[in-house]
Amino acid sequence: YANMLTVAEIDGAERITTFVTFDVDDLDAAVAELDSRYLAGEAAAYARTWSVIAKAYAGYNRHELPATTTDPAYIDHRSIVGVEGAELAASLSAVLELVPDAHVCIGTVHRLNELGAVVTQVVQGSSPEGLYIESSTIAVFTFEGDLISRAEIFDESDLDAALARFDELSRPTPQLENAASRANGRFIA
């Protein structure tokens, strides 16, 4: 019996169309294969957004902080943490201090569009004392170009709240109403 990593591509009829195997120690290659297939298929319409996400996660796994706007919004909604107004870079750095070999990957993409994404992310690693840690959270990201402009973290059980928040962020900003816009509305009507 042999251990291996496998990436299986499944078509619309739920049949396996491709089966690629990797050495059990080659997780990065397996994830790269999975990402490239996702990008060529289901995520193709939002290739720019997905590429920015994949680049941010790959960089973090090399202990590089992701590129952000000047003042990105960061809110941690988790019941155990519950922090609003903390700094994203400081929070990411704190994880690396607590778990120096932290590796984060995306377990599930729940929503993806031109604005950003809602994903389940899994962080694995060991503390300096040798304690193995694995934690899953829901992350809501928005982007301005290739920069993270917002990150909100939710407990894994709060997927509905995370999706509702993303939908709220995805709605177009209502235009200001004034005499000119009301006259224009009457004209169009």
Side-chain angles (χ1 to χ4, degrees):
Y1 125 85
N3 289 328
M4 66 184 95
L5 296 173
T6 303
V7 173
E9 185 171 346
I10 301 170
D11 67 12
E14 298 186 9
R15 295 177 299 206
I16 295 174
T17 60
T18 307
F19 200 74
V20 183
T21 59
F22 297 87
D23 184 74
V24 73
D25 295 325
D26 207 358
L27 180 62
D28 291 338
V31 170
E33 176 73 19
L34 188 62
D35 279 346
S36 70
R37 289 181 180 279
Y38 182 61
L39 189 56
E42 200 175 341
Y46 307 109
R48 183 203 56 81
T49 305
W50 184 252
S51 294
V52 173
I53 292 169
K55 182 179 176 183
Y57 276 83
Y60 188 72
N61 287 333
R62 292 187 305 270
H63 294 186
E64 299 167 2
L65 296 179
T68 64
T69 55
T70 306
D71 191 23
Y74 174 67
I75 303 171
D76 194 327
H77 299 276
R78 292 177 293 173
S79 56
I80 199 165
V81 179
V83 175
E84 184 170 345
E87 289 186 7
L88 178 59
S91 296
L92 292 173
S93 295
V95 170
L96 292 174
E97 284 181 33
L98 294 171
V99 187
D101 65 345
H103 182 83
V104 63
C105 65
I106 296 172
T108 307
V109 178
H110 302 283
R111 190 93 26 98
L112 177 67
N113 66 21
E114 64 283 342
L115 175 69
V118 179
V119 300
T120 295
Q121 59 184 11
V122 181
V123 178
Q124 299 171 322
S126 298
S127 71
E129 296 78 25
L131 177 66
Y132 177 74
I133 297 164
E134 183 172 315
S135 174
S136 295
T137 56
I138 305 293
V140 172
F141 293 109
T142 61
F143 301 93
E144 289 179 19
D146 291 348
L147 305 175
I148 295 174
S149 60
R150 171 178 294 277
E152 296 192 29
I153 308 300
F154 293 80
D155 288 318
E156 188 176 23
S157 60
D158 287 338
L159 175 60
D160 290 341
L163 291 170
R165 178 65 177 140
F166 187 72
D167 290 345
E168 180 182 311
L169 294 168
S170 296
R171 279 189 221 118
T173 305
Q175 293 184 354
L176 295 176
E177 188 173 318
N178 58 28
S181 65
R182 286 190 296 276
N184 188 45
R186 287 191 302 272
F187 176 76
I188 290 173

